[in-house]
Amino acid sequence: MLAERSMTLTELSVQVGVTVVNLSVLKNNRARAVRFSTLSAICEVLRCSPGELLTVEVGPA
């Protein structure tokens, strides 16, 4: 999504008000949780919906 918008993680960080480190954790699938306000801000800046950013990975039963 960042590439589609010609935006760097640093630019997104400034516009969303979240550190580059925290965005990197989200981007690299290392986050355990994300605040709704953060997700909402990211979507607003990137002009997308949460479903375009998130996927569900089902673990072993």
Side-chain angles (χ1 to χ4, degrees):
M1 190 68 61
L2 287 172
E4 289 176 21
R5 303 295 192 260
S6 299
M7 184 180 289
T8 66
L9 204 58
T10 302
E11 291 170 325
L12 181 63
S13 169
V14 169
Q15 291 187 40
V16 172
V18 176
T19 67
V20 174
V21 173
N22 285 339
L23 288 178
S24 181
V25 168
L26 290 170
K27 180 181 172 198
N28 294 309
N29 297 320
R30 290 183 277 133
R32 295 178 141 223
V34 61
R35 291 178 185 236
F36 183 75
S37 59
T38 300
L39 180 59
S40 180
I42 291 169
C43 288
E44 184 176 328
V45 169
L46 295 177
R47 297 178 318 277
C48 65
S49 67
E52 294 175 274
L53 298 176
L54 302 174
T55 59
V56 176
E57 295 181 13
V58 178

